[in-house]
Amino acid sequence: MMNAKELASVYDTIMSIPGMNEQVKIDIKVSRKNALLLTQAIRKALMTTPGEHGHDLLDIASKESKQELTNIAEEFLQRTGLIELHEKILKL
């Protein structure tokens, strides 16, 4: 098994492949329930401490990439009209 430094090097190489920074359009249809769950999953993943659950791409992701994921989660809430519900769930 690779150590954290070796794994980070492999992930960095993968993220450097030409075209990885290109914008793509993803057109999906999901239920409001799953949009809410996906938003929670994104936010929870971004709040973990690096190495907390092994080593993965989130450990080496740039601040900009993490911010973009946060923006995507926020957009899910806006498009599904679940901002208020999400805020109330966070208060629980």
Side-chain angles (χ1 to χ4, degrees), residues 35-45 47 73 86 89-90:
L36 187 60
L37 289 171
L38 185 55
T39 298
Q40 287 293 104
I42 291 170
R43 290 179 182 219
K44 187 173 184 175
M47 291 189 308
H86 184 259
I89 289 172
L90 291 177

Side-chain angles (χ1 to χ4, degrees), residues 9-76:
S9 177
V10 170
Y11 284 154
D12 189 46
T13 301
I14 292 168
M15 297 306 239
S16 299
I17 294 171
M20 290 297 280
N21 284 326
E22 290 178 12
Q23 297 287 317
V24 295
K25 183 177 180 177
I26 300 173
D27 184 18
I28 61 171
K29 291 186 180 198
V30 296
S31 66
R32 283 189 169 91
K33 174 181 74 174
N34 285 335
L36 187 60
L37 289 171
L38 185 55
T39 298
Q40 287 293 104
I42 291 170
R43 290 179 182 219
K44 187 173 184 175
L46 292 174
M47 291 189 308
T48 60
T49 306
E52 184 176 338
H53 299 289
H55 300 285
D56 56 26
L57 287 173
L58 285 176
D59 292 343
I60 64 163
S62 67
K63 289 182 182 178
E64 293 82 15
S65 292
K66 291 178 181 180
Q67 183 59 50
E68 187 174 345
L69 288 174
T70 301
N71 293 345
I72 289 169
E74 185 65 29
E75 187 174 345
F76 283 156

